[in-house]
Amino acid sequence: MPLPLRGLSAIVTGAGRGLGRAEALELARLGAAVVVNDYGRPGRDGSGAASAGPAEEAAAEIRAAGGAALAHTGDVSDFEQARDLVESAVAAYGRLDILVNNAGILRDRMVFSMTEEEWDSVLRVHLKGHFNTTRFAAAHWRERSKRAGRPVFGRIVNTSSEAFLAGSAGQPNYAAAKGGIVGLTTSTALALARYGVTANAICPRARTRMTEDVFAGVERPAEGGLDPLAPEHVAPLVGYLASPAAAHVNGQLLVVHGGMVAVVERPRVAAVFDSKQDTFTYDELDAALGPYYADRPAGETFAAAEVLGLRRG
């Protein structure tokens, strides 16, 4: 089979289990040398002792299949450990070509009960973790491009969520972090395009320990049957976005699960109201906006998610 990622190197964060592991295996299958990053804490809330086991096991699986991989157990939410992750990839493989940000934790609670630590920890791992690795990968690509005097090859694939698209009542921290990741992605896409680098985000729907509550009522297929929620169904899109073939795909948000990929449009203006004066008065706003929202079904502002038939993931 053709190997579109042959000769390229990749980092996948949160790659010791679930979705990240499937993505790391897919990139290796397509020919990339992979740095498998995972902090290794057993709890999906980030609790427990850090362990090298998950990252080392995933890297060993890649090597056993004939690929190149090394394990990295740093915490991507730590600025200096994220720097070390990127530098380790460059030291091992001569350069970095692909960055897949997937690491995350959950600390679910309603907004009126959430603690400061629960908020901060989720934003730190998801949003700051995405920024930290992106920051050092971007600097690497910019330096290479300036040295070469031309664009270089670089790919970033970030992980957002349908919790950002449609809301998630018990996950204000997670939904906010995933929305922030979309903003980070589009900003990065604009900043790095001149250097030959693309940045895209996916909203995956997959059965992992992070989503075990979401899909608790969805039965697994009979033995030998196709599970549309298997993480392996998300990985091919990541492989494609990481490849040379996706050079024209930049700053995009895609929902993926099973055999479906949906391209999400950027928000569009639904209605415009103009004041008859220099500025709006309270009464004028009430006269314009009151009937507009009163005539719309509840929740219609989330039309993009409804059209796709999407739910929290």
Side-chain angles (χ1 to χ4, degrees):
M1 62 165 284
L3 298 176
L5 304 185
R6 183 189 292 276
L8 302 179
S9 65
I11 289 171
V12 183
T13 71
R17 304 178 178 93
L19 189 60
R21 186 186 186 104
E23 293 167 345
L25 292 172
E26 177 69 6
L27 296 185
R29 189 184 70 83
L30 295 175
V34 182
V35 178
V36 177
N37 165 263
D38 199 292
Y39 199 33
R41 284 183 167 171
R44 67 174 186 167
D45 62 351
S47 63
S51 168
E56 290 179 346
E57 289 170 10
E61 184 174 349
I62 291 172
R63 291 192 296 267
L70 61 89
H72 185 279
T73 57
D75 177 3
V76 294
S77 71
D78 181 279
F79 197 68
E80 291 306 319
Q81 291 185 55
R83 182 203 303 269
D84 181 75
L85 172 58
V86 173
E87 290 179 349
S88 294
V90 174
Y93 302 126
R95 68 175 197 251
L96 174 65
D97 302 294
I98 301 160
L99 171 63
V100 179
N101 283 309
N102 174 73
I105 63 171
L106 288 179
R107 294 197 178 176
D108 296 353
R109 200 176 299 275
M110 299 297 285
V111 68
F112 43 77
S113 303
M114 182 163 286
T115 67
E116 181 181 19
E117 197 278 332
E118 287 167 340
W119 173 271
D120 288 348
S121 62
V122 170
L123 271 289
R124 184 176 63 250
V125 176
H126 286 274
L127 185 53
K128 187 184 177 188
H130 272 60
F131 161 73
N132 286 346
T133 54
T134 297
R135 182 322 190 175
F136 294 112
H140 168 71
W141 288 318
R142 179 173 179 266
E143 181 183 348
R144 278 177 50 200
S145 178
K146 292 177 69 174
R147 194 165 56 241
R150 56 177 173 76
V152 296
F153 182 94
R155 298 285 186 268
I156 299 173
V157 182
N158 289 332
T159 306
S160 184
S161 169
E162 294 172 60
F164 151 72
L165 279 174
S168 184
Q171 296 182 306
N173 47 5
Y174 181 74
K178 292 306 188 181
I181 286 168
V182 174
L184 172 64
T185 302
T186 54
S187 176
T188 301
L190 291 173
L192 300 187
R194 63 185 295 185
Y195 303 115
V197 179
T198 67
N200 296 286
I202 63 170
C203 293
R205 193 188 302 181
R207 196 194 305 273
T208 69
R209 66 179 185 145
M210 288 276 287
T211 60
E212 59 187 13
D213 295 339
V214 177
F215 300 119
V218 181
E219 293 185 7
R220 295 179 182 271
E223 186 174 350
L226 180 68
D227 184 359
L229 295 175
E232 289 74 19
H233 295 310
V234 173
L237 176 61
V238 174
Y240 171 74
L241 293 174
S243 75
H248 56 294
V249 184
N250 195 25
Q252 300 298 299
L253 176 64
L254 303 102
V255 177
V256 54
H257 76 96
M260 184 210 76
V261 173
V263 178
V264 180
E265 287 188 333
R266 297 191 181 199
R268 294 184 296 171
V269 175
V272 176
F273 301 94
D274 294 314
S275 174
K276 297 177 182 178
Q277 310 165 101
D278 290 338
T279 187
F280 275 103
T281 65
Y282 173 91
D283 290 339
E284 192 178 12
L285 285 169
D286 185 46
L289 296 179
Y292 174 77
Y293 282 107
D295 293 339
R296 296 169 71 85
E300 193 175 3
T301 51
F302 301 116
E306 292 171 357
V307 167
L308 294 172
L310 306 179
R311 297 191 64 191
R312 178 168 66 95

